[in-house]
Amino acid sequence: MQPVTDAAAETLADAFHARRAAGLPGAQALTDAPLDLRDRYPAALTRWAAHVHTGV
C-alpha cells in the first residue's frame, strides 16, 4: 500500500468528477483519472500509484 497525501486524493477526485461531468461512465472516469496523473507525474508514485481501479 502506498501512502496518499490529501493533495493527491483531491487531485484525483477533481479529475474523476470532471470526467463524470463530461459524460464518461463512472468506471471509465475512475480508470482514466489515475492514468492521467501517471502520465503527468510518472516519477511521483505517491500521486497516482495507490489509486487502482479493478473491476468493471
Side-chain angles (χ1 to χ4, degrees), residues 1-53:
M1 304 277 301
Q2 293 284 330
V4 177
T5 65
D6 289 344
E10 180 180 5
T11 301
L12 182 83
D14 288 345
F16 168 76
H17 288 290
R19 284 170 171 74
R20 289 292 290 140
L24 282 179
Q28 187 65 51
L30 193 55
T31 298
D32 289 352
L35 294 178
D36 178 48
L37 292 176
R38 181 193 66 189
D39 292 344
R40 288 172 42 198
Y41 309 104
L45 295 176
T46 58
R47 289 188 182 218
W48 58 266
H51 305 284
V52 177
H53 174 235

